[in-house]
Amino acid sequence: MTKFPKDFLWGGATAANQCEGAWNEDGKGISIADVLTCGGLAKHTAALPDVPEAMKKHIAKMRGVTYRSGDQEGAAMAFKMNTYPEKGIPALLDDEYYPNHQAIDHYHRYKEDLALFAKMGFKCYRMSIAWTRIYPQGEETEPNEAGLRFYDNVFDECLKYGIEPIVTLSHYEMPLALTLKYNGFADRRVIDCYVRYVKTVFERYQHKVKYWLTFNELNSVVHSGFINAGVFSKDRRLIEAASYHQLLASAQVVRFAHDHYPQFQMGCMIGVSPAYPYSCKPEDNLAALKQNQQRDTYYPDVQMRGFLPEYKLIQLQQEGIRLPILPGDAEILSGGCCDFMAFSYYQTSVAAAQDEAMQRTAGNMGSFIFNPHLKKSEWGWQIDPIGLRYTLNLFYDRYHKPLFIAENGLGAADVLNADHTIHDPYRIDYLRQHIQAIKDAIILDGVKVFGYTPWGCIDLISCSTGQISKRYGFIYVDVDDAGHGTLNRYEKDSFAYYKRVIESNGEEL
């Protein structure tokens, strides 16, 4: 092969909780995303207990989970489980700004947005269904028809333009009611709630959707049990139990799809930041291997291979953690292997045997040892196009199944000029380098990649900070971090660039 495949799926990616808004309209229930603040605007976060004063300014910029604990109110860091209170209950607080409530109002403007995606030439659109639009509390016996009808309309609009929907079933937006009653997926009974929801949307959209992802970035539970699995706790035992229950839930719905809807293609989705060893010292190489196992490969190993790997079981045994494994679970996992692997890729990481004193920088779902050979974005995320080629080889060699790049992109503080133009050459340069890396992996390495959906094809709410000023899109949305603005849409320079890339099937970079 000397080019991208003719049927390569070019598109873009969003998540319902970060773009739809309309958080309480048409019967929608409250999701875990609806109690997340905007970093820099949360009035509680800087007052976290047990946090050094030198750290509070930095922490105040990060996203929080608002809660009540007795007669006290506060906000824990969304991606720092050690800040979660022992007896706090996630809750909506008065006079707090929750950016997901409005987001970019995609719920009312989806036709306008999809028309812009079609103008760019999208072949696919990776999106998610908000669980709470279908089952508002998570345990109802009958779904919410208004929610089902909304996604019927979205899928119909996609198909009108020849855009293939690629749907994430759970993207950081499970019902808050399941957290309050069961502590999310820490309780095995939540598997049944998830399976009921998935069966409902499978039946409803079987003729409109072919590609499905069971969970978004399932490995993010390492950093946030709440955002990932609805677990508001710092207890590692509960976090590992929730992660295990999600793996079981994924396997159950994959097997159900294979048995009842053979036309479906079922995928897992992982957030990957593969670790390079800090040096050629054997100890650093072993540290990189172990970090990759813990953060990146355990979850797809289960979902693609169908069993719990020995390295994970030994690690848990050494930590005194026992997974809630029941008879028959092994058969569930082995019978629910995914057809393809999807992943988000923003940067690589670095691992060292002794890393306590090393300089660190920000990254997706955590901080990383600074790599002096790489440049950084405005938010401190290091940029490594070659690392994407490395990642594609890593996972194709491991599973030898098709790969799909579900997220990749550059967050930047774009400027809307007086003539409504937005010049973002830095994003174009980022895209060019990363698409070339994909092309090299396909042509030079023989990796089977069937699609690419850059993250935030339209500006939306950032998961890590809650800001919209951290913009990823090809389309600028006129709204600020406090939710003020016209919400009008404007094409950036990268819009025209990506349109040319798609028209040429990756030949014009």
Side-chain angles (χ1 to χ4, degrees):
M1 179 177 292
T2 59
K3 298 180 179 180
F4 278 94
K6 289 183 179 180
D7 56 353
F8 192 80
L9 293 176
W10 300 96
T14 66
N17 74 89
Q18 293 168 257
C19 72
E20 284 181 1
W23 72 286
N24 60 355
E25 294 188 32
D26 296 331
K28 180 184 176 297
I30 301 174
S31 79
I32 56 177
D34 293 327
V35 296
L36 297 179
T37 66
C38 182
L41 301 178
K43 61 186 178 182
H44 305 282
T45 314
L48 287 168
D50 304 321
V51 174
E53 287 296 326
M55 288 289 293
K56 287 186 178 179
K57 185 177 180 180
H58 170 72
I59 289 172
K61 298 178 182 178
M62 303 305 295
R63 202 165 201 191
V65 184
T66 55
Y67 65 85
R68 290 192 178 93
S69 181
D71 59 354
Q72 300 294 313
E73 295 181 347
M77 289 182 69
F79 285 94
K80 287 285 186 183
M81 289 179 286
N82 61 353
T83 66
Y84 294 178
E86 292 292 343
K87 296 183 179 180
I89 299 173
L92 291 167
L93 305 182
D94 295 334
D95 302 321
E96 190 76 43
Y97 176 60
Y98 298 99
N100 297 59
H101 289 193
Q102 173 187 259
I104 61 167
D105 197 30
H106 179 71
Y107 187 79
H108 298 109
R109 297 168 182 250
Y110 70 90
K111 288 187 177 181
E112 175 186 359
D113 294 340
L114 286 167
L116 287 167
F117 299 165
K119 183 178 178 181
M120 264 188 287
F122 278 19
K123 308 299 182 186
C124 71
Y125 173 40
R126 186 235 167 176
M127 53 170 284
S128 71
I129 294 174
W131 186 344
T132 50
R133 291 202 190 279
I134 313 304
Y135 288 97
Q137 305 299 311
E139 288 193 286
E140 294 89 346
T141 56
E142 295 296 327
N144 174 32
E145 177 59 28
L148 289 168
R149 190 163 53 248
F150 169 70
Y151 291 108
D152 266 322
N153 295 336
V154 172
F155 296 143
D156 288 344
E157 198 72 11
C158 286
L159 297 174
K160 181 178 81 174
Y161 293 114
I163 297 173
E164 185 89 51
I166 297 176
V167 178
T168 310
L169 290 159
S170 180
H171 192 137
Y172 299 164
E173 56 212 357
M174 69 179 292
L176 182 64
L178 296 180
T179 289
L180 303 181
K181 185 173 181 179
Y182 298 115
N183 210 356
F185 274 98
D187 193 308
R188 194 180 182 104
R189 286 173 288 186
V190 173
I191 296 176
D192 293 336
C193 299
Y194 173 80
V195 171
R196 181 188 309 115
Y197 150 65
V198 172
K199 287 182 177 180
T200 298
V201 297
F202 278 178
E203 174 65 22
R204 180 75 169 224
Y205 307 125
Q206 59 180 300
H207 301 299
K208 300 180 180 183
V209 179
K210 175 182 177 181
Y211 295 96
W212 302 88
L213 304 173
T214 57
F215 289 93
N216 178 71
E217 294 181 334
L218 194 57
N219 56 328
S220 64
V221 73
V222 173
H223 309 284
S224 178
F226 179 71
I227 289 176
N228 173 285
V231 181
F232 196 61
S233 174
K234 63 183 74 174
D235 189 334
R236 270 288 310 286
R237 290 170 176 80
L238 291 178
I239 300 302
E240 291 291 350
S243 178
Y244 176 69
H245 289 149
Q246 286 180 307
L247 289 168
L248 284 173
S250 175
Q252 284 193 35
V253 300
V254 168
R255 182 168 185 172
F256 181 82
H258 287 164
D259 288 345
H260 295 85
Y261 305 101
Q263 75 273 24
F264 286 177
Q265 288 291 299
M266 301 299 301
C268 64
M269 198 289 204
I270 309 296
V272 300
S273 303
Y276 300 140
Y278 182 75
S279 75
C280 57
K281 288 170 57 178
E283 293 85 354
D284 287 348
N285 278 264
L286 184 60
L289 171 66
K290 289 301 179 183
Q291 180 173 306
N292 286 332
Q293 287 177 336
Q294 179 185 0
R295 295 173 59 127
D296 287 354
T297 61
Y298 162 55
Y299 306 87
D301 274 359
V302 179
Q303 293 179 285
M304 301 297 286
R305 291 172 165 173
F307 60 88
L308 297 168
E310 293 82 359
Y311 61 79
K312 181 67 174 183
L313 294 173
I314 291 173
Q315 175 205 343
L316 294 174
Q317 183 182 36
Q318 291 172 339
E319 296 178 11
I321 297 175
R322 178 177 294 180
L323 294 178
I325 300 172
L326 297 182
D329 283 1
E331 288 74 22
I332 293 173
L333 294 176
S334 65
C337 293
C338 292
D339 303 306
F340 67 94
M341 178 185 170
F343 62 88
S344 62
Y345 173 86
Y346 295 97
Q347 74 278 304
T348 48
S349 60
V350 175
Q354 302 295 328
D355 63 357
E356 293 80 6
M358 290 186 171
Q359 181 183 350
R360 303 187 74 85
T361 188
N364 188 26
M365 300 184 295
S367 65
F368 300 103
I369 295 172
F370 176 72
N371 185 335
H373 303 289
L374 301 176
K375 296 179 180 179
K376 294 194 296 185
S377 75
E378 294 175 68
W379 271 261
W381 293 26
Q382 296 201 275
I383 299 169
D384 183 6
I386 293 175
L388 178 53
R389 179 179 174 185
Y390 173 87
T391 300
L392 288 165
N393 275 272
L394 177 71
F395 287 106
Y396 190 65
D397 287 348
R398 196 174 186 93
Y399 307 123
H400 220 69
K401 287 187 178 181
L403 302 178
F404 180 82
I405 304 165
E407 294 182 26
N408 171 242
L410 177 69
D414 301 326
V415 176
L416 177 65
N417 298 312
D419 61 355
H420 296 153
T421 59
I422 305 96
H423 304 305
D424 55 345
Y426 38 84
R427 181 169 293 109
I428 291 172
D429 186 55
Y430 180 99
L431 286 166
R432 180 184 295 111
Q433 294 182 57
H434 284 79
I435 294 172
Q436 183 64 55
I438 302 167
K439 193 173 184 179
D440 289 343
I442 293 172
I443 295 171
L444 302 178
D445 306 328
V447 178
K448 294 192 184 309
V449 188
F450 69 92
Y452 177 62
T453 51
W455 175 249
C457 47
I458 183 170
D459 290 345
L460 38 62
I461 302 301
S462 166
C463 177
S464 58
T465 69
Q467 298 170 298
I468 197 167
S469 57
K470 184 183 182 185
R471 299 177 181 273
Y472 283 87
F474 308 124
I475 301 164
Y476 186 98
V477 180
D478 181 27
V479 64
D480 65 18
D481 287 341
H484 303 136
T486 65
L487 291 169
N488 289 340
R489 275 68 164 148
Y490 302 103
E491 298 173 15
K492 304 178 188 179
D493 288 353
S494 56
F495 183 106
Y497 172 77
Y498 194 47
K499 184 176 187 292
R500 290 196 302 273
V501 170
I502 297 174
E503 285 176 344
S504 67
N505 197 30
E507 288 302 295
E508 293 185 23
L509 299 181

